[in-house]
Amino acid sequence: MASQVATPSSLHTAAASSTASLSSPSSASPSQLSPDDVELLAKLEEQNRLLETDSKSLRSVNGSRRNSGSSLVSSSSASSNLSQLEEDAWIMWGRIVNEWEDVQKKKEKQLKELVRKGIPHHFRAIVWQLLCDAQNLPIKEQYSELLKMTSPCEKLIRRDIARTYPEHEFFKEKDSLGQEVLFNVMKAYSLVDREVGYCQGSAFIVGLLLMQMPEEEAFCVFVKLMQDYRLRELFKPSMAELGLCMYQFECMIQEQLPELHVHFQVQSFHTSMYASSWFLTIFLTSFPLPVATRIFDIFMCEGFEIVFRVGMAILQMNQAELMQLDMEGMLQHFQRVIPHQLDSGPEKVIQAAYQVKYNAKKMKKLEKEYTTIKTKEMEEQVEIKRLRTENRLLKQRIDTLEKGNPRYTEEFILQLERELVQARLKEAESHCALKEMQDKILDMEKRNASLPDENNVVRLQEELIGVKLREAEALTGLKELRQQVRNLEEHWQRHLARTAGRWKDGPRKNAASELQDELMSVRLREAEAQAELRETRQRMLEMETQNQIHCNQLRRAEQEARNLQERLQVLTNQNKTQHAELQETKRKQAEIQCKNKEDVMAVRLREAENIAAMAELQQQISELEIQKEEGKVQGQLNNTDSSQYIRDLKDQIADLKHEIRCLRGQKGIPNQPNFDGIHIVNHYGGDNESYQSSDEDGVKLSPHLTDHQVGGRITLHPNLEDSESEGDEGDALRLTLPSNVSRKTTTV
């Protein structure tokens, strides 16, 4: 692999040799830019423009990566082919690479300007590694071991390899060197970072790196990009960073291009529909490769800021056209029209990008807002999931109630009512706990309010310092007064010693003594005056201290009054808010109670409907059975003569009555029980069936009804009593006949 692409060390050596052979003696120190350096910068810009627009030179360079065994950059071959502008570019970037640390520390601004104007193609590999600090990563030594391992993402990587730069010479052929090294790098990273694994957009970034450097260096640079350039958060399965970028970019559009933002909203044209690939691939799938490479130069130096700037510049340049299109037209415009606008080169869009307003502090603020919104959405999703679970459980219970036995529904309703009571008790406990916590918070706020704030503490410290200074001045004055008193006492003692022998002295000495007495008196008066002055000053200092203390107390009282007023206003607002919340809670509680009552009534109505339906079905079954029996009887009676049938029945009843009388008249049977009734039931069963009759005492009778087979039910009520009390005339026989014979009771 080292023979196919150039290594950073070879580039560094080539740059150093070129610098040593081409640079002047004054180029050893880049501390200050001379006029020659300024001219060299201008030439460098022109050369970069030529390099970016010369597609033939790019194709020749890319072809040399695959077909030649030499390195991508060879100092000997380059020296023979480079023009004067290329030599100047080699000199400038050779200085920068050789003295990278000094340039990065002392000339960061100038380095950014150079990168914005473009890194020469031959220096991109080493400069990209220097920009992201990927030269000596320890993970580089593990690369060969990672290639021997198996990754769970290998199938996905193999599937997407052919989709990565399908028209580029280095990658378009199946199982080519480019596809193989791209697979190696993606597989190695999927093993290093198993949380991210493999994401399709990352292959385009790795492919661009492989166009500039060997696979080991490309792997190290890609690891640094994922770790330090926010790409790892962008390619995580949740893609939370991509959502943040979309939110920030949409806010920028709303602020700087409000009309276009409104048009996007009207057409339901979301930011992710056109801008997600910009952030995931750094424009590598949206713009021509030379333009995207120039933007990637700046991305390596400045990060995602250039993506926001270029995206806004593209929208500003195409605002008029986009305002005239619908959603499908805008999609086609982004996919087909905009890439061709950049065929002339990247200078125009990069220049427009740095005219876009970009505020890093505002982007941080938007990031906090997005985090807050997402947190609320997660809480709402959790609550929705909980409600859906409860709803599903309630539906299951309702289905159980509807499908279950009606005698169990009351139990389920009672269980639901008990659960409702428990839920209300828990809700009341939660409200009580919440109120206690609110009371504790108010108590703590009151305590904090009673404590002096920082301004009061500072003022009190100043007052204390002033009092201590005045106390020190008073102590100093007191010491001076004591010293003066001691001096006066010494003078007084000497004066007494002199005046003790004054009567012995002559007139001259007496005059001198008088003068000394006057001097002593003057000193005494001076000491008294100084003492009074000191005392007056001390009183004045005390009064000033008291005045300052009173002023501070008044100021603190006014501040406390203002704080109390503000607190009162806050409490009033809180009271109103809590009152409104209380009313809303009561309303919701009333709605819940009404809803629960309606649910209970609905369940009971469904139960009543089920019971009524069952009763109706049973009634229908009974009617159908009666109709069946009547049909059977009607079928039998159609074959007989009704009048003859009635006469036969009367004869049989008479025979039965006669037999009963005979049985009663038999002697030896004491106290024969009276017959309350004789029930004759005939069930039609065929031609040879006979009637079976029995009385309540279990006496088997063989009535003479076997000659006439009829269906239905015949009830005989003789109502026979003892012969002593009633005669035979009191006996009665009731016949219940089918509808086709007679629907009345016949008395015989």
Side-chain angles (χ1 to χ4, degrees), residues 247-473:
Y247 178 76
Q248 292 173 329
F249 191 65
E250 187 172 357
C251 291
M252 289 181 67
I253 298 172
Q254 185 176 5
E255 179 183 359
Q256 301 183 27
L257 301 173
E259 296 179 357
L260 185 61
H261 179 264
V262 172
H263 180 66
F264 284 168
Q265 294 292 325
V266 171
Q267 296 294 330
S268 299
F269 193 61
H270 302 291
T271 309
S272 58
M273 297 174 69
Y274 63 91
S276 58
S277 62
W278 294 354
F279 288 88
L280 287 172
T281 63
I282 322 298
F283 300 103
L284 290 171
T285 58
S286 304
F287 293 173
L289 188 59
V291 179
T293 306
R294 279 287 303 277
I295 296 173
F296 201 84
D297 288 341
I298 305 173
F299 173 77
M300 294 291 293
C301 184
E302 302 180 18
F304 267 107
E305 177 181 345
I306 186 59
V307 183
F308 287 99
R309 289 183 176 275
V310 172
M312 287 299 300
I314 291 294
L315 294 179
Q316 289 176 356
M317 293 165 61
N318 293 271
Q319 181 178 5
E321 292 83 357
L322 293 172
M323 291 291 292
Q324 306 298 325
L325 301 174
D326 58 1
M327 183 176 68
E328 294 182 0
M330 287 188 288
L331 280 174
Q332 295 293 328
H333 190 81
F334 276 104
Q335 293 173 1
R336 298 180 180 179
V337 178
I338 291 179
H340 292 294
Q341 293 177 353
L342 304 175
D343 289 339
S344 59
E347 300 299 335
K348 182 178 179 181
V349 69
I350 291 177
Q351 185 177 2
Y354 282 98
Q355 302 298 323
V356 173
K357 296 179 181 179
Y358 182 87
N359 191 338
K361 293 183 179 179
K362 189 167 184 179
M363 300 298 279
K364 288 288 185 182
K365 183 179 179 182
L366 291 174
E367 182 177 357
K368 292 180 180 179
E369 291 179 0
Y370 180 77
T371 304
T372 304
I373 293 171
K374 281 299 176 182
T375 303
K376 290 182 179 180
E377 288 182 357
M378 290 295 294
E379 293 175 354
E380 291 176 357
Q381 289 178 359
V382 171
E383 183 66 18
I384 290 172
K385 187 176 181 181
R386 185 184 66 80
L387 292 175
R388 286 178 177 172
T389 304
E390 293 181 357
N391 190 18
R392 187 179 66 255
L393 294 175
L394 289 175
K395 286 183 178 179
Q396 291 177 356
R397 291 183 179 178
I398 290 172
D399 293 339
T400 305
L401 288 173
E402 291 178 351
K403 296 179 181 179
N405 197 322
R407 63 183 180 181
Y408 296 119
T409 55
E410 289 291 339
E411 296 178 1
F412 283 112
I413 292 173
L414 292 175
Q415 182 180 357
L416 289 174
E417 290 178 351
R418 286 194 295 269
E419 291 180 359
L420 179 61
V421 171
Q422 292 178 359
R424 288 178 178 174
L425 289 175
K426 290 181 180 179
E427 184 180 3
E429 292 176 357
S430 301
H431 281 300
C432 292
L434 179 62
K435 188 175 181 181
E436 290 179 0
M437 294 300 294
Q438 289 176 350
D439 294 338
K440 289 182 180 179
I441 291 172
L442 291 175
D443 189 15
M444 293 178 68
E445 288 179 354
K446 290 179 181 178
R447 291 180 182 177
N448 292 334
S450 62
L451 296 174
D453 57 5
E454 295 181 357
N455 296 328
N456 290 333
V457 171
V458 172
R459 287 195 293 268
L460 291 173
Q461 289 177 351
E462 292 176 355
E463 293 176 7
L464 180 61
I465 292 172
V467 171
K468 288 184 177 180
L469 288 174
R470 289 188 287 272
E471 183 180 1
E473 291 178 359

Side-chain angles (χ1 to χ4, degrees), residues 570-734:
V570 172
L571 290 175
T572 304
N573 295 333
Q574 289 180 354
N575 188 16
K576 291 180 180 179
T577 304
Q578 291 177 355
H579 182 69
E581 291 177 355
L582 179 61
Q583 295 296 330
E584 183 67 17
T585 304
K586 288 182 179 179
R587 185 185 64 79
K588 289 182 179 179
Q589 186 176 6
E591 290 179 356
I592 293 171
Q593 290 178 354
C594 292
K595 187 176 180 180
N596 292 333
K597 289 180 180 179
E598 290 175 357
D599 294 340
V600 172
M601 290 300 296
V603 172
R604 291 181 177 176
L605 287 174
R606 284 194 293 272
E607 290 179 15
E609 291 175 357
N610 293 334
I611 294 172
M614 291 181 64
E616 185 177 356
L617 291 174
Q618 292 177 354
Q619 182 66 25
Q620 292 177 0
I621 292 170
S622 301
E623 291 177 357
L624 291 173
E625 290 179 352
I626 293 172
Q627 291 176 4
K628 179 181 177 182
E629 295 297 331
E630 289 178 354
K632 291 179 181 180
V633 173
Q634 185 176 2
Q636 288 294 328
L637 290 179
N638 288 334
N639 300 323
T640 59
D641 188 4
S642 299
S643 59
Q644 181 63 34
Y645 172 69
I646 293 171
R647 285 193 297 270
D648 293 340
L649 284 178
K650 289 181 180 180
D651 294 339
Q652 292 174 8
I653 290 169
D655 293 339
L656 288 173
K657 289 174 68 176
H658 178 71
E659 289 182 4
I660 291 170
R661 289 192 187 95
C662 292
L663 289 173
R664 283 187 177 182
Q666 290 181 358
K667 295 181 181 180
I669 301 177
N671 297 328
Q672 181 70 21
N674 299 330
F675 287 96
D676 292 333
I678 297 174
H679 300 279
I680 301 172
V681 181
N682 174 40
H683 298 282
Y684 179 77
D687 295 337
N688 297 324
E689 283 188 353
S690 61
Y691 293 91
Q692 299 293 330
S693 64
S694 64
D695 60 3
E696 292 183 357
D697 295 331
V699 179
K700 299 288 183 178
L701 298 178
S702 299
H704 302 285
L705 297 176
T706 57
D707 296 334
H708 303 279
Q709 303 295 331
V710 287
R713 181 180 181 89
I714 301 174
T715 304
L716 182 63
H717 296 279
N719 195 16
L720 300 176
E721 301 293 340
D722 293 338
S723 59
E724 293 84 0
S725 61
E726 292 183 7
D728 294 339
E729 293 78 8
D731 297 332
L733 177 64
R734 293 182 182 181

